[in-house]
């Protein structure tokens, strides 16, 4: 039972990442373009471009939604943005550096209706994830190791409690 549950969770995570990658790449393009595109993601409406059953993303609708919240949308070419996203999707970037946690949570929120037969809002999902993340998880992270290394090199400063996990 445990291995089949792990496989199921892995497939769900893979699906969430696959759906969030194009959004992450659009965020990346917005920040890296010269001059910066300054696209607005704050009012993004995931339900407009995420399929509720398959959780797949409609790239054109996603771009339109982001541009509809952006002041300079008239000067941007939707097809160029789509081409840029598709190009980035062919490259081998670390998905954890491209995807935004907020996007993953919002996509999962849309999928909870099908997965759990009840809708969970993004705030509830965020709260549950925060509650399940404990010191054992944190102590195995790169951030924890980096902080400990910094503390070792800067003995006058302590960021974390003295107990080593």
């Amino acid at each position: 039972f445990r291995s089949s549950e792990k496989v199921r969770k892995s497939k769900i995570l893979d699906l969430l990442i696959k759906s969030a990658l194009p959004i992450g790449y659009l965020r990346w393009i917005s920040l890296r373009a010269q001059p910066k595109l300054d696209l607005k993601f704050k009012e993004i409406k995931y339900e407009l471009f995420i399929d509720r059953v398959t959780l797949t993303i409609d790239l054109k609708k996603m771009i339109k939604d982001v541009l509809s919240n952006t002041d300079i949308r008239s000067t941007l070419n939707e097809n160029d943005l789509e081409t840029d996203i598709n190009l980035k999707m062919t490259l081998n970037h670390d998905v954890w550096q491209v995807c935004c946690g907020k996007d993953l949570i919002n996509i999962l929120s849309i999928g909870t209706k099908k997965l759990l037969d009840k809708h969970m809002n993004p705030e509830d999902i965020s709260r549950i994830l925060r509650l399940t993340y404990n010191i054992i998880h944190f102590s195995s992270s790169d951030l924890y190791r980096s902080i400990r290394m910094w503390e070792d090199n800067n003995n006058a400063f302590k960021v974390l409690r003295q107990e080593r996990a």
Side-chain angles (χ1 to χ4, degrees):
F1 170 74
R2 289 206 178 257
S3 66
S4 66
E5 184 69 20
K6 258 186 176 174
V7 168
R8 183 171 175 246
K9 288 178 183 175
S10 174
K11 287 182 180 179
I12 292 169
L13 185 57
D14 289 345
L15 180 60
L16 291 173
I17 289 169
K18 184 178 179 185
S19 296
L21 270 174
I23 307 168
Y25 280 124
L26 185 57
R27 290 177 187 276
W28 183 348
I29 290 165
S30 176
L31 292 173
R32 299 284 185 197
Q34 291 299 325
K36 285 185 180 178
L37 299 181
D38 199 29
L39 298 176
K40 306 292 186 228
F41 292 88
K42 189 171 179 136
E43 301 297 322
I44 195 168
K45 295 176 188 73
Y46 297 88
E47 63 278 357
L48 294 179
F49 57 85
I50 300 289
D51 184 281
R52 292 183 186 282
V53 176
T54 64
L55 297 185
T56 55
I57 189 168
D58 183 317
L59 194 54
K60 289 183 185 301
K61 288 181 181 178
M62 185 261 300
I63 293 169
K64 281 184 189 300
D65 182 49
V66 172
L67 291 179
S68 72
N69 296 313
T70 303
D71 299 330
I72 59 169
R73 66 181 168 266
S74 60
T75 63
L76 295 173
N77 184 310
E78 293 175 23
N79 291 329
D80 289 344
L81 289 173
E82 185 176 2
T83 300
D84 288 350
I85 292 169
N86 285 324
L87 175 64
K88 290 219 179 300
M89 296 282 289
T90 65
L91 304 173
N92 195 19
H93 295 112
D94 180 352
V95 296
W96 297 111
Q97 298 297 318
V98 177
C99 291
C100 176
K102 181 180 178 181
D103 297 333
L104 291 165
I105 288 170
N106 277 281
I107 295 166
L108 180 59
S109 173
I110 290 169
T112 56
K113 179 99 172 138
K114 183 169 186 333
L115 292 170
L116 306 174
D117 286 332
K118 77 174 206 175
H119 176 74
M120 291 180 66
N121 67 46
E123 294 78 20
D124 289 341
I125 293 172
S126 293
R127 187 178 318 104
I128 290 167
L129 290 173
R130 281 191 306 274
L131 289 172
T132 61
Y133 191 79
N134 60 37
I135 187 63
I136 295 168
H137 296 108
F138 180 57
S139 65
S140 65
S141 71
D142 289 339
L143 176 60
Y144 179 88
R145 284 187 290 282
S146 294
I147 292 171
R148 285 295 189 199
M149 194 177 336
W150 183 87
E151 286 178 334
D152 290 343
N153 293 327
N154 298 277
N155 290 330
F157 301 99
K158 295 298 172 202
V159 177
L160 302 174
R161 282 190 268 188
Q162 288 306 106
E163 308 92 41
R164 298 269 177 160

